[in-house]
């Protein structure tokens, strides 16, 4: 498994969305991308458990409180942003 972490911002061509959770980066039109709002631990776990190859998971800006580990397995080329 390869885990690639990237970060990017909007531009004039691709404007930043109005949602403050995803002000710096969002999925846009990417169909292999899932946005998980800040603090939505259940949503994160559900997303990680249903990952497919080459998917991107965008974590919303904010505070994340996890009381357990999150393990990504069974999918290749996952990007966590």
């Amino acid at each position: 498994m390869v885990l690639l972490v990237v970060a990017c911002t909007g531009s004039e061509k691709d404007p930043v969305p109005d949602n403050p959770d995803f002000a710096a980066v969002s999925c846009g039109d990417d169909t292999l991308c899932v946005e998980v709002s800040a603090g939505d631990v259940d949503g994160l776990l559900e997303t990680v458990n249903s990952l497919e190859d080459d998917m991107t998971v965008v974590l919303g800006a904010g505070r994340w409180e996890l009381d357990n580990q999150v393990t990504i397995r069974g999918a290749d080329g996952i990007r966590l942003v």
Side-chain angles (χ1 to χ4, degrees):
M1 174 180 64
V2 174
L3 177 64
L4 173 66
V5 178
V6 296
C8 54
T9 60
S11 66
E12 287 181 26
K13 186 176 180 181
D14 183 24
V16 175
D18 292 331
N19 185 334
D21 276 356
F22 304 99
V25 65
S26 68
C27 288
D29 294 332
D30 186 350
T31 58
L32 287 175
C33 182
V34 177
E35 295 175 348
V36 183
S37 294
D40 184 3
V41 176
D42 290 335
L44 175 60
L45 295 175
E46 183 178 321
T47 297
V48 167
N49 288 329
S50 62
L51 289 173
E52 298 176 18
D53 290 350
D54 301 315
M55 285 186 76
T56 301
V57 179
V58 179
L59 300 179
R63 186 178 182 128
W64 288 84
E65 292 187 37
L66 303 169
D67 60 5
N68 207 344
Q69 68 185 19
V70 175
T71 303
I72 298 174
R73 66 180 125 203
D76 294 320
I78 301 303
R79 291 165 301 278
L80 182 62
V81 183

